[in-house]
Amino acid sequence: SYYNLKNSLIGIIFDSAPAYFHGKIDGLLSALQYVGSKEQRDKLINFARSLDPNQLKRRHNEFWSGLRNDTYTSENIPQLYLYSDCDELANVKYLEEMISHRRQQVGREKEVWSHKFVGSSHCGHLKKYPAEYE
C-alpha cells in the first residue's frame, strides 16, 4: 500500500526529472518522444493532440504545484536531483527553483542534494559522465 511504501523509503532520486512542459501541447509532445515503442508513442501523441489546451495547462499547474509541495519534503526524506544545464524537458530554471523551495521547506539544506551536469542531454548523464554519475 501507499503507507507501506512511504514508510520504507530511505530517499528519492530525480534523474532528469521532473519534466516541465509549460502546460503547452508542444512541451508535452516533446516529452512523449522518450516514451516506449514507436507504436506506444504514436498512440500517446495522438491522444495528447486531442486534449483541451486549457485542461492541459490546468493539469500541468496542478502537477507542478503538487511536486513542489509534496508531503515527502515535509517528512524529511532525503532527495537527490540530477539534472543538466541543457535538458529540454527538465528545465534547469524550474528545477533549481523547486530545489530551492524544497530546501526552504525542509529547513536543512543537507536533506535536499543536487548535481547539475554540463552539456548532457535528457537522461544522458551516465553516458556523458560515467565515472561522475556512478
Side-chain angles (χ1 to χ4, degrees):
S1 77
Y2 167 76
Y3 294 103
N4 290 336
L5 173 64
K6 186 175 85 167
N7 292 331
S8 65
L9 283 176
I10 59 172
I12 302 170
I13 299 174
F14 294 90
D15 187 341
S16 298
Y20 190 93
F21 63 91
H22 302 278
K24 298 179 182 172
I25 191 66
D26 292 345
L28 181 57
L29 293 174
S30 270
L32 292 175
Q33 296 305 314
Y34 293 90
V35 174
S37 70
K38 181 176 178 353
E39 183 180 335
Q40 291 171 321
R41 204 169 30 255
D42 289 346
K43 284 180 184 178
L44 287 170
I45 288 170
N46 287 335
F47 173 73
R49 287 188 174 129
S50 74
L51 296 173
D52 175 85
N54 293 324
Q55 272 186 313
L56 186 63
K57 186 169 183 68
R58 188 184 80 247
R59 180 60 190 119
H60 165 74
N61 292 337
E62 290 169 357
F63 169 76
W64 197 256
S65 176
L67 285 171
R68 278 180 48 92
N69 300 303
D70 75 353
T71 58
Y72 293 123
T73 303
S74 62
E75 295 172 9
N76 296 329
I77 294 173
Q79 302 163 50
L80 171 62
Y81 293 83
L82 303 172
Y83 62 101
S84 172
D85 62 343
C86 65
D87 189 330
E88 294 180 14
L89 295 178
N91 182 292
V92 66
K93 174 187 171 194
Y94 295 102
L95 276 175
E96 288 178 342
E97 287 174 1
M98 177 183 284
I99 292 165
S100 175
H101 178 75
R102 288 193 173 184
R103 285 180 174 149
Q104 290 172 359
Q105 283 180 312
V106 170
R108 296 181 309 230
E109 192 168 314
K110 69 178 186 173
E111 296 294 332
V112 179
W113 297 282
S114 63
H115 182 82
K116 178 169 47 174
F117 292 93
V118 177
S120 55
S121 62
H122 183 70
C123 297
H125 319 312
L126 175 61
K127 185 175 182 180
K128 186 161 182 153
Y129 298 101
E132 191 175 351
Y133 188 87
E134 290 186 28

